[in-house]
C-alpha cells in the first residue's frame, strides 16, 4: 500500500468521513481559507491513480468513494512502522510505549485489561 502525502491524507480523512462525495463536497470540508478547487481536484486525481479512491460517473460529474477503510490504511501504516523501526516485533513496539511514554497507572491498567481480554478470547477460540 502506498503512503500518502500530507495533502492526500487530509483529503482521505474527509473521504472516510463522507464515505461518498462529489468534488464540491470534498472542497467544502476544508476550513477557510480553502485550497484552490483545482488543487483539491489534482489531489483527488492522484488518489484515484494511486488506488485510494474510486469513482462513479454521472455524466461529466464524478462521485468519489474510498477503496478501503481508514482502519485498513492505518493497520498497513502501523505494520510499516513496526517493520521499519522495531524489526517486525510487535512486542518491541509495545515495549517502546511502556518504557518511553508517559503512561500513568490508569492507562497501563486499561492496556492490561485489553490484553487480558484478548488473551481470554484467544484461549476460548483454542489458539
Amino acid at each position: 500500500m502506498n503512503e500518502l502525502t500530507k495533502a492526500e491524507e487530509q483529503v482521505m480523512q474527509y473521504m472516510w468521513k463522507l464515505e461518498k462525495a462529489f468534488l464540491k463536497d470534498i472542497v467544502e470540508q476544508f476550513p477557510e481559507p480553502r485550497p484552490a478547487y483545482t488543487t483539491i481536484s489534482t489531489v483527488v486525481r492522484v488518489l484515484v491513480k494511486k488506488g485510494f479512491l474510486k469513482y462513479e460517473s454521472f455524466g461529466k460529474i464524478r462521485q468519489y468513494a474510498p477503496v478501503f477503510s481508514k482502519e485498513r490504511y492505518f493497520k498497513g501504516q502501523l505494520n510499516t512502522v513496526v517493520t521499519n523501526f522495531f524489526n517486525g516485533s510487535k512486542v518491541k513496539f509495545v515495549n517502546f510505549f511502556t518504557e518511553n511514554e508517559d503512561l500513568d497507572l490508569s492507562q497501563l491498567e486499561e492496556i492490561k485489561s485489553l490484553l487480558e481480554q484478548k488473551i481470554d478470547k484467544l484461549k476460548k477460540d483454542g489458539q
Side-chain angles (χ1 to χ4, degrees):
M1 183 179 305
N2 294 324
E3 287 190 37
L4 297 172
T5 65
K6 186 175 179 178
E8 292 165 353
E9 188 172 316
Q10 188 173 20
V11 168
M12 285 306 299
Q13 291 290 348
Y14 295 139
M15 286 305 306
W16 285 315
K17 181 176 118 183
L18 295 169
E19 296 179 7
K20 287 186 175 184
F22 295 99
L23 188 56
K24 69 174 186 61
D25 301 321
I26 300 167
V27 172
E28 289 172 0
Q29 294 296 306
F30 282 82
E32 294 289 347
R34 293 183 175 115
Y37 188 92
T38 54
T39 301
I40 297 171
S41 176
T42 300
V43 172
V44 167
R45 268 196 316 275
V46 169
L47 288 166
V48 169
K49 186 176 180 179
K50 284 184 165 184
F52 283 88
L53 292 178
K54 59 186 175 183
Y55 62 87
E56 184 177 352
S57 294
F58 297 93
K60 293 183 179 184
I61 300 172
R62 293 177 173 177
Q63 184 180 44
Y64 298 93
V67 171
F68 44 82
S69 69
K70 182 178 183 178
E71 291 75 22
R72 181 173 162 203
Y73 175 72
F74 177 73
K75 185 176 181 181
Q77 294 306 302
L78 188 58
N79 285 337
T80 299
V81 168
V82 170
T83 299
N84 292 342
F85 296 97
F86 300 97
N87 297 324
S89 171
K90 292 176 181 165
V91 172
K92 288 180 183 177
F93 176 71
V94 171
N95 186 54
F96 172 79
F97 286 101
T98 59
E99 295 295 323
N100 297 309
E101 293 297 316
D102 296 327
L103 297 172
D104 63 26
L105 183 58
S106 170
Q107 292 168 320
L108 288 169
E109 289 288 349
E110 186 175 349
I111 291 168
K112 179 182 172 187
S113 175
L114 291 169
L115 289 170
E116 287 172 345
Q117 288 173 26
K118 181 66 175 182
I119 290 167
D120 290 344
K121 183 182 183 318
L122 289 173
K123 284 180 178 178
K124 187 185 223 182
D125 294 343
Q127 292 186 1

